[in-house]
Amino acid sequence: MTQSVIPVNLPQNAYEIALASDSLDRLGSWIKSLNLGRKLMLVSNPTVFGYYGKRAVASLETAGFEVHHHLFPDGEEYKTLDAVSQLYDAALEVGLERNSTFIALGGGVVGDMTGFAAATWLRGINFIQVPTTLLAMVDASIGGKTGVNHPQGKNLIGAFYQPSLVLIDPIVLGTLPEREFRAGIAEVIKYGVIWDADLFRQLEAAKRLASPSDISNQLLHEILMRSCQAKAEVVSQDEKEAGLRAILNYGHTIGHAVESLTGYTELLHGEGVAIGMIAASRLALALNLWSAEEDARQAQVIGNAGLPTTIPPGVDIDAILAKLQTDKKVKDGQVRFVLPTSIGHAIVSDRVPPDLIHETLASLQKETVQT
Amino acid sequence: MTQSVIPVNLPQNAYEIALASDSLDRLGSWIKSLNLGRKLMLVSNPTVFGYYGKRAVASLETAGFEVHHHLFPDGEEYKTLDAVSQLYDAALEVGLERNSTFIALGGGVVGDMTGFAAATWLRGINFIQVPTTLLAMVDASIGGKTGVNHPQGKNLIGAFYQPSLVLIDPIVLGTLPEREFRAGIAEVIKYGVIWDADLFRQLEAAKRLASPSDISNQLLHEILMRSCQAKAEVVSQDEKEAGLRAILNYGHTIGHAVESLTGYTELLHGEGVAIGMIAASRLALALNLWSAEEDARQAQVIGNAGLPTTIPPGVDIDAILAKLQTDKKVKDGQVRFVLPTSIGHAIVSDRVPPDLIHETLASLQKETVQT
């Protein structure tokens, strides 16, 4: 059995990412080693809980924990303060205490909301991430970003709050819809472009990346480990996004805007990021930051993963530009972009000319990128 | 002009408490020295904003800031997630950014809610406290406890989030209702009992403490400075309440329960604390932790401040005991009490026999303490 333990070396809140097949059945013993309180609240959604709830609960109860559970409705549209408020009620009902623990078993929505509840219930209780989507495994579950959406923008309400443990069991990807798998691959490609050229080359070599069946177990473990390492390294150097961490937003500036303008229903987050990476690459090309060949290589890998590469018809370019102004990353009115400078490296810039943004977006709406 | 600057030496979030008469008119220049962004949202309630809003806004605008404001309805019953949610909407409307600042101008309710909004808007923006009640000056504004009430308990939802500055202008106490002044004195007495015997002796010497007119400007400055110092010292040693900080909850265990059972309308927070300190002192006496003479001295000072010393009629003792079990400080079902061991010193104990709690509470309901 392949097992990796990846440290997240934060100065005040160090923790580990445990990555191993069938680790879900060892969840209880992992948590026991952390010396937390006896009471746990497992938080999930009906779909994921239906697949894996029993195994998780059994493992926790065997380890001697008092286990309660709460289910959020399934979907990004329920990532609201209201839904978190219902989790508060459940926490009160079962009497969670300061040494109690919330466990998020699910994708990014469950993880972000449960983390926010953990950050804010009794001013902060223990929190453990058990991500069940590829996207959550390689991104959302690591680094302590928690929160909910505001009707007018994603993740506008939230907190930085680190988990005590992230436990990843790749086996659970077997029940993940293929479209969501591909959306997760978008973030993996991101790490290749901004941080880990070797990971990028492995993705290139794989040719097809559109389904788990395209990828060997060994490559999957490698993808998970390298992505988690990339995230952990960046976050350890800049927990609160004062500098370096901003590069993780590669593809997210345009991605968030397009997701938002399609009502968070048409595109998955990773699909928005794929479109955003195509756009950012074009901006970098126009600014002579990187080459047409690198732009094409990235487009090829994104295409191999079956991800979208154009802006959906019906999304107005001026509306995207307006939306960019409400992005959390706007500073004194300047929109920040992450731009690649070579495979494995990226920079942050708030000096992209608005005209160029407009032109680039327009070009991504009319054409279909050839891959 | 007397001016004191008290450092709060937190390892990661050091800041200062500035204490000076008429400092409200220098709010803008104080904040300017902190190098924050241009946009500010001043948060207050209609009463306080009516008294001091103009002066604060004028000072901020003179210093070159773009100033917006938002008013919460006045009163503890509006310390809710809903009210904070409306502040989020206002923040979005005026486009607060990550380097923008929330300023709380008001008492503990305004400060706690504004701090929670600052902790959670865009995962945390700048925050400044300008407390206008004695209670907020000596307690709530220092140390980073922020939050809102849950229908079933005070401050159950919240976060630890430090301000960048606390600015205290004692002049504003001139418009504070006398009952609220006395409620603030309860927390000052608390610091005397648990931390600063010299402060306690100054309070004893003053004889009457029931109104600002009982107290010289010099004594008021001394009270504010020593109380802020006590809080700053304790919080610096234990920001997240892992140990020492718990002593600040002296009088709060019973106090919170009685406040809650009277619907947060009959008693002010400080009045609950006064009753709680009387109760904790009796428990300490029964457990031979301190003497009848010390118990009497504390009761005398609390009486001199015109604060309540008995449990209001109609509050059921068993209901208090049940309520204690929902306290945030409960750990594995054990209620924690802070108990004085001599004037200036206190310990934390979770081994007070339930029978003794019951008996002590019953004695505080039937009698009137003679002072």
Side-chain angles (χ1 to χ4, degrees), chain A residues 188-202:
Chain A
V188 174
I189 296 169
K190 180 191 81 177
Y191 294 121
V193 175
I194 63 166
W195 194 256
D196 185 344
D198 193 50
L199 170 61
F200 188 85
R201 281 187 290 269
Q202 292 191 46

Side-chain angles (χ1 to χ4, degrees), chain A residues 154 251-269 271-277 279 308-317 319-321 323-324 327 361 364-365:
Chain A
K154 270 186 85 144
H252 286 58
T253 310
I254 299 291
H256 274 163
V258 175
E259 271 184 275
S260 165
L261 290 169
T262 50
Y264 299 116
T265 53
E266 195 175 327
L267 291 171
L268 297 178
H269 174 65
E271 293 169 344
V273 169
I275 296 166
M277 290 193 291
T309 53
T310 58
I311 294 167
V315 176
D316 183 58
I317 303 301
I320 297 178
L321 291 169
K323 200 76 200 173
L324 294 180
D327 192 282
L361 291 175
L364 287 178
Q365 190 155 47

Side-chain angles (χ1 to χ4, degrees), chain B residues 211-292:
Chain B
S211 133
S213 61
D214 293 336
I215 296 171
S216 70
N217 281 347
Q218 202 191 330
L219 179 59
L220 179 61
H221 189 93
E222 186 78 6
I223 280 175
L224 289 169
M225 190 184 64
R226 282 180 170 273
S227 297
C228 290
Q229 265 169 351
K231 178 92 187 236
E233 284 165 16
V234 171
V235 164
S236 303
Q237 289 177 47
D238 176 25
E239 181 178 0
K240 299 283 175 70
E241 202 163 353
L244 176 67
R245 184 166 179 164
I247 66 166
L248 296 176
N249 291 313
Y250 179 51
H252 286 59
T253 310
I254 300 291
H256 275 162
V258 175
E259 271 184 274
S260 165
L261 291 169
T262 50
Y264 299 116
T265 53
E266 195 175 326
L267 290 171
L268 297 178
H269 174 66
E271 293 169 345
V273 170
I275 295 166
M277 290 194 291
I278 296 279
S281 171
R282 292 292 176 87
L283 291 173
L285 181 57
L287 294 165
N288 283 316
L289 291 170
W290 81 343
S291 67

